[in-house]
């Protein structure tokens, strides 16, 4: 019986990251998930899915031995507020860029040898705000724009080694940081009215798209962004 493929999920204890871990495990992947602070939650999730948990503090952290990893999912992100650009402190923008952009680059460089050897796939969680900017979301959108630029570079430069690189651009999803913000009923109603499908997404909506992109079913897809946003960016 062939050994199950191995996947790395960076930010595996977040709402979307945890959903990615569960969906990938159900689809036959051996999941190595990383965490920054929630060790108890990470160990519990790893036990639940029969995977492995490893501490990784971005951007300077080393993810360790990634031999055999054929899929990397970058789901890490800063815990941010939603100030307008005119109200954004330079140090807050620098911190968000540091964690996501330098963090992604560090993971990329650590994982590339294994991705080349396995002809593997890289997927980053991005933002639908790159297609239609939501006011107050610069601390999320700006770092992800840089990550997407790096992804396109990977797709262009590493395709000759069989490596694929794509992004999943997420709209409003009822998971992670969304659940920690005290939205008003008026905001909820207005936001849903602004989405063609008239509902928010779920973490599993995103995880299913990620699972597709790392699978052989997407074997001829690279350098692309799949919008999972209920039509918000249309």
């Amino acid at each position: 019986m062939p050994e199950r493929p191995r996947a790395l999920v960076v930010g595996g204890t977040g709402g979307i990251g945890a959903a990615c871990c569960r969906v990938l495990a159900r689809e036959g992947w051996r999941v190595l998930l990383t965490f920054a602070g929630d060790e108890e939650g990470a160990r519990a999730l790893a036990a639940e899915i029969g995977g492995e948990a490893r501490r990784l503090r971005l951007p300077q952290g080393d993810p360790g031995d990634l031999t055999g990893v054929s899929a990397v999912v970058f789901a890490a992100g800063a815990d941010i507020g939603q100030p307008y650009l005119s109200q954004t402190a330079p140090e807050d923008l620098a911190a968000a860029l540091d964690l996501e952009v330098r963090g992604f680059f560090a993971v990329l460089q650590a994982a590339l040898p294994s991705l080349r050897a396995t002809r593997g796939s890289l997927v980053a969680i991005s933002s639908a705000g790159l297609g239609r900017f939501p006011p107050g979301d610069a601390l999320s959108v700006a770092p992800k724009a840089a990550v997407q630029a790096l992804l396109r570079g990977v797709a262009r430069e590493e395709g000759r080694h069989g490596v694929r690189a794509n992004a999943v651009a997420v709209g409003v999803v009822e998971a992670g940081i969304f659940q920690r913000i005290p939205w008003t009923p008026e905001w909820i109603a207005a936001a849903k009215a602004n989405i063609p499908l008239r509902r928010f997404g779920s973490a599993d909506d995103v995880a299913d798209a990620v699972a597709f992109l790392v699978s052989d079913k997407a074997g001829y897809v690279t350098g692309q962004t799949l919008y999972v946003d209920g039509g918000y960016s249309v």
Side-chain angles (χ1 to χ4, degrees), residues 81-191:
Q82 289 199 309
Y84 276 41
L85 285 166
S86 60
Q87 303 163 334
T88 300
E91 58 269 24
D92 290 341
L93 178 60
L97 290 168
D98 202 41
L99 188 149
E100 292 196 45
V101 183
R102 282 187 57 211
F104 173 80
F105 189 68
V107 170
L108 166 65
Q109 291 201 316
L112 264 180
S114 183
L115 291 177
R116 288 172 175 171
T118 60
R119 300 180 70 83
S121 178
L122 172 64
V123 176
I125 302 301
S126 187
S127 170
L130 273 74
R132 181 183 177 190
F133 190 86
D137 213 26
L139 292 178
S140 173
V141 175
K144 290 174 175 60
V147 168
Q148 281 198 215
L150 293 172
L151 278 171
R152 289 177 64 83
V154 173
R156 185 69 175 175
E157 296 175 359
E158 300 296 327
R160 61 199 170 112
H161 299 294
V163 177
R164 297 184 297 108
N166 296 287
V168 175
V170 179
V172 181
V173 172
E174 294 182 294
I177 193 171
F178 176 87
Q179 296 176 324
R180 299 195 294 274
I181 297 176
W183 306 110
T184 66
E186 293 77 16
W187 186 93
I188 295 289

Side-chain angles (χ1 to χ4, degrees), residues 13-97:
T13 56
I16 290 175
C20 289
C21 291
R22 292 186 174 99
V23 169
L24 290 174
R26 286 200 299 266
E27 297 201 358
W29 292 84
R30 292 180 297 139
V31 177
L32 164 61
L33 65 101
T34 75
F35 65 94
D38 185 10
E39 180 170 2
E40 182 178 354
R43 302 294 181 198
L45 177 57
E48 174 191 333
I49 64 174
E52 176 188 352
R54 186 178 295 172
R55 187 184 299 277
L56 174 62
R57 293 193 182 280
L58 297 175
Q60 69 278 3
D62 180 356
D65 181 19
L66 300 180
T67 301
V69 166
S70 58
V72 174
V73 179
F74 189 82
D79 193 354
I80 55 171
Q82 289 199 309
Y84 276 41
L85 285 166
S86 60
Q87 303 163 334
T88 300
E91 58 269 24
D92 290 341
L93 178 60
L97 290 168

